[in-house]
């Protein structure tokens, strides 16, 4: 029989239902994946127009002319869809003091040494930077995109200004691709995160490990709505 040095005889690990925490409601998840699908279509159609080497991508959109026609429309709809997501999420993406502490311990973040990290709310600084990066880049892309939408706005913009707009549009698009690669990488790299956007739930352990302040607040809430 095992010796008891640190425990009482009656101490037990009791298996119960694992705790799950709801992180995203159904409409937020739908909004996220709808935006993601549109932005991927936007990137593919944009790159198809960007260089002749990628012209073959126009086949996905029914040929050159229809890609040229569809790309700005997909852009406007993507921005509107992102705006809906933005309205739901911006408040919890505001920078806070603990984000600076988190940034100073970036080495511990990369080595998954969470003991030295501060307790965080719903998002960490990396997620917040991705969020604001997406916001500012989409804003730059929609403004510059409208300026080069010659079908409707050709007479309002001089050639000189349009050239600058093309530059802003292309640079923002490349940065957007980099931000999205970072976003997807982080979502896969942090185990259990994809569940947040698929089932809408995360495990209690995930919440405790990565977003303890958020978990504490949810646990202490008196007005918790019934789970779906
Ligand atoms: C296509 C592949 C994508 C995957 C696999 C993915 C995955 C995820 C996951 C798992 C989360 C939840 C993170 C968490 O709650 O901790 C999330 C959040 C989010 N995603 Fe995506 N996503 C993708 C594309 C996009 C795109 C294209 C956009 C918009 C341009 C986007 C915008 C967001 C935003 C705004 C959040 C909320 C995070 C925050 O507010 O800081 N995602 N994504």
């Amino acid at each position: 029989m095992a010796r008891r040095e640190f425990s009482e005889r009656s101490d037990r690990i009791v298996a119960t239902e694992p705790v799950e925490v709801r992180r995203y409601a159904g409409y937020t998840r739908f909004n996220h994946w709808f935006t993601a699908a549109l932005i991927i279509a936007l990137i593919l159609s944009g790159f198809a127009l960007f260089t002749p080497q990628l012209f073959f991508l126009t086949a996905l959109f029914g040929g050159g002319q229809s890609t040229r026609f569809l790309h700005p429309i997909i852009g406007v709809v993507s921005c509107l869809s992102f705006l809906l997501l933005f309205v739901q999420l911006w408040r919890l993406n505001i920078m806070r003091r603990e984000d600076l502490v988190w940034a100073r311990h970036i080495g511990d973040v990369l080595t998954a040494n969470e003991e030295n990290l501060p307790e965080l709310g719903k998002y960490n600084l990396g997620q917040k930077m991705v969020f604001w990066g997406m916001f500012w880049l989409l804003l730059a892309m929609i403004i510059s995109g409208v300026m080069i939408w010659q079908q409707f706005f050709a007479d309002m913009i001089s050639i000189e200004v349009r050239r600058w707009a093309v530059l802003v549009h292309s640079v923002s698009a490349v940065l957007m691709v980099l931000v999205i690669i970072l976003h997807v990488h982080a979502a896969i790299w942090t185990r259990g995160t994809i569940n947040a956007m698929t089932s809408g739930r995360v495990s209690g352990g995930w919440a405790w490990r990565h977003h303890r302040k958020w978990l504490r607040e949810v646990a202490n809430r008196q007005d918790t709505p019934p789970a779906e």
Side-chain angles (χ1 to χ4, degrees):
M1 205 166 98
R3 243 179 83 215
R4 273 186 289 108
E5 197 174 348
F6 299 108
S7 59
E8 296 291 349
R9 194 182 163 78
S10 59
D11 296 348
R12 294 274 187 284
I13 291 178
V14 184
T16 55
E17 289 289 305
V19 172
E20 287 194 327
V21 191
R22 195 173 88 176
R23 194 162 163 86
Y24 294 108
Y27 57 84
T28 312
R29 282 177 275 147
F30 179 79
N31 194 172
H32 172 270
W33 291 118
F34 187 66
T35 312
L38 283 173
I39 289 194
I40 288 166
L42 189 64
I43 289 169
L44 289 173
S45 56
F47 274 86
L49 300 171
F50 184 61
T51 162
Q53 272 91 344
L54 295 175
F55 184 78
F56 68 92
L57 289 172
T58 57
L60 294 170
F61 303 91
Q65 284 192 357
S66 48
T67 306
R68 172 66 193 77
F69 171 73
L70 285 173
H71 176 73
I73 295 175
I74 301 173
V76 171
V77 183
S78 307
C79 285
L80 291 175
S81 182
F82 182 83
L83 191 66
L84 279 182
L85 204 56
F86 179 84
V87 170
Q88 297 168 63
L89 304 173
W90 71 274
R91 194 175 63 85
L92 297 181
N93 278 289
I94 292 173
M95 304 292 170
R96 298 177 63 99
R97 191 189 299 267
E98 59 264 30
D99 293 326
L100 288 177
V101 183
W102 186 89
R104 276 204 297 273
H105 286 92
I106 193 70
D108 292 318
V109 175
L110 296 175
T111 51
N113 187 11
E114 272 109 6
E115 292 312 308
N116 298 329
L117 299 176
E119 295 195 358
L120 297 176
K122 191 159 179 171
Y123 300 110
N124 63 38
L125 180 64
Q127 291 171 298
K128 290 179 183 179
M129 281 166 54
V130 163
F131 178 80
W132 291 107
M134 285 170 174
F135 172 76
W136 288 111
L137 288 172
L138 275 180
L139 192 66
M141 282 165 75
I142 187 84
I143 294 173
S144 55
V146 166
M147 289 166 84
I148 58 179
W149 199 351
Q150 294 190 51
Q151 189 182 356
F152 299 118
F153 305 103
D155 300 338
M156 293 160 70
I157 309 290
S158 69
I159 292 175
E160 174 85 349
V161 172
R162 197 178 297 141
R163 284 185 185 142
W164 282 107
V166 170
L167 182 66
V168 170
H169 200 69
S170 326
V171 171
S172 311
V174 171
L175 291 177
M176 187 71 178
V177 171
L178 296 179
V179 169
I180 290 174
I181 291 173
L182 196 69
H183 176 62
V184 175
H185 181 264
I188 295 170
W189 181 59
T190 314
R191 234 174 59 195
T193 305
I194 295 283
N195 280 354
M197 260 313 161
T198 49
S199 70
R201 288 152 192 249
V202 289
S203 69
W206 184 95
W208 176 257
R209 190 167 172 192
H210 302 296
H211 301 281
R212 203 166 295 175
K213 248 186 194 172
W214 170 69
L215 176 67
R216 285 188 201 283
E217 190 174 284
V218 174
N220 289 329
R221 270 172 53 190
Q222 307 294 317
D223 61 337
T224 310
E228 265 169 14

